[in-house]
Amino acid sequence: MKLFKTPQAINLWKIFSFLILFMVIDTVTAFFGLGIVLILKYFKLVSIFNAPTLILLELIIRYGLAFILFIWVNRFYMKQRFFFKPVFPFKNQAYPLLFAIIIILIYIFTVNLGILKYDANNVSFFMFSLGSAILEEYGFRGIVFPKVMQVVKGSSFRKLMFGITISGVLFGLIHFQNIFYQPFLVTFQQVMGAIPFGILMAVLYARTSTILIPMLFHFVSDFNSYFTTNSFFAGAYL
């Protein structure tokens, strides 16, 4: 498995310090995007835009900046290699996966929306889902998962099981940061839903050796949840 071929120079502190950086970057970029939009509104530079379009602009600024910072942190601090090329034959397994994802997206647009058309609010949902999926998979399956495996001693199977489980639990626990703007019970439900979801995404990454598959599944899961409830804070907020 390609994930086992990464360097072993890692410790627990480095993993937890990355988790702290993840939360800080996620929070700071969110406020930065909101701040830019508020400044533009204050100077009446965006008066022609409606509320959903402003949300879309905020999300583009937020996730664009966050992704740049995460790449920088990984390059100079975590130094974790990413894998994009799948280990399985593309025609035999990847095509059916991609076809299933396309069918699900068509279902979301036609059944949940009723019609397929451009709408700033719909595009905001799309951007929020895509941004969350890319950044969270980049951070947790791309970095935390293999780094945990490097810390664990023992057989390859032991490393894999601990990596999958611990990275999934950490992924769930980090959702407790949502408690600052919603009730505890809702946050707790999100955490409980995010843990098995994180474990499943780690299994997909380990099985396929490409970060693109968990990113796609994560995106579809969030996209469907947001459209089903018509809220950014839907489902497990994965």
Side-chain angles (χ1 to χ4, degrees), residues 2-232:
K2 292 191 291 185
L3 292 176
F4 292 127
K5 298 180 181 179
T6 50
Q8 298 297 316
I10 188 68
N11 53 56
L12 286 175
W13 162 246
K14 204 165 189 178
I15 295 174
F16 282 108
S17 64
F18 173 75
L19 293 176
I20 295 173
L21 282 172
F22 185 95
M23 290 187 291
V24 170
I25 291 174
D26 184 54
T27 302
V28 170
T29 53
F31 279 105
F32 181 81
L34 178 61
I36 292 296
V37 171
L38 291 177
I39 291 173
L40 292 176
K41 288 186 64 177
Y42 178 80
F43 289 102
K44 299 180 180 180
L45 299 176
V46 291
S47 57
I48 61 174
F49 298 126
N50 56 21
T53 304
L54 290 177
I55 293 175
L56 175 60
L57 176 61
E58 175 192 343
L59 293 174
I60 293 174
I61 296 172
R62 170 187 178 181
Y63 287 121
L65 178 60
F67 190 61
I68 292 173
L69 291 175
F70 279 128
I71 292 177
W72 186 86
V73 168
N74 184 49
R75 180 176 180 180
F76 294 102
Y77 184 57
M78 299 304 290
K79 300 179 180 179
Q80 174 60 45
R81 179 185 174 189
F82 277 75
F83 301 100
F84 297 95
K85 186 178 180 180
V87 295
F88 50 72
F90 189 81
K91 291 183 179 179
N92 293 339
Q93 298 185 44
Y95 277 153
L97 285 173
L98 293 175
F99 178 76
I101 291 173
I102 292 173
I103 294 299
I104 293 173
L105 290 176
I106 293 175
Y107 167 82
I108 292 171
F109 274 108
T110 57
V111 176
N112 289 339
L113 295 181
I115 52 176
L116 181 60
K117 65 176 182 178
Y118 170 81
D119 180 83
N121 195 48
N122 297 344
V123 176
S124 295
F125 281 132
F126 180 92
M127 185 62 192
F128 193 89
S129 304
L130 184 63
S132 297
I134 292 176
L135 292 183
E136 292 180 1
E137 293 307 315
Y138 185 93
F140 282 88
R141 259 58 69 183
I143 297 177
V144 175
F145 172 36
K147 291 302 184 187
V148 171
M149 288 197 298
Q150 294 168 30
V151 171
V152 177
K153 298 180 179 180
S155 65
S156 296
F157 180 78
R158 176 184 173 88
K159 290 174 180 288
L160 181 63
M161 291 299 100
F162 270 86
I164 289 173
T165 304
I166 294 176
S167 64
V169 171
L170 291 175
F171 176 67
L173 293 178
I174 205 170
H175 286 76
F176 269 121
Q177 64 180 326
N178 298 339
I179 199 171
F180 292 107
Y181 53 80
Q182 63 186 19
F184 172 79
L185 182 59
V186 175
T187 303
F188 183 76
Q189 291 173 339
Q190 292 174 350
V191 171
M192 291 298 100
I195 291 176
F197 184 84
I199 291 174
L200 175 60
M201 294 300 100
V203 171
L204 282 176
Y205 188 30
R207 176 65 183 87
T208 64
S209 290
T210 171
I211 194 67
L212 298 178
I213 296 299
M215 281 182 176
L216 285 170
F217 272 83
H218 196 149
F219 163 69
V220 170
S221 174
D222 282 0
F223 200 41
N224 184 60
S225 296
Y226 299 142
F227 271 124
T228 301
T229 61
N230 196 34
S231 171
F232 282 144

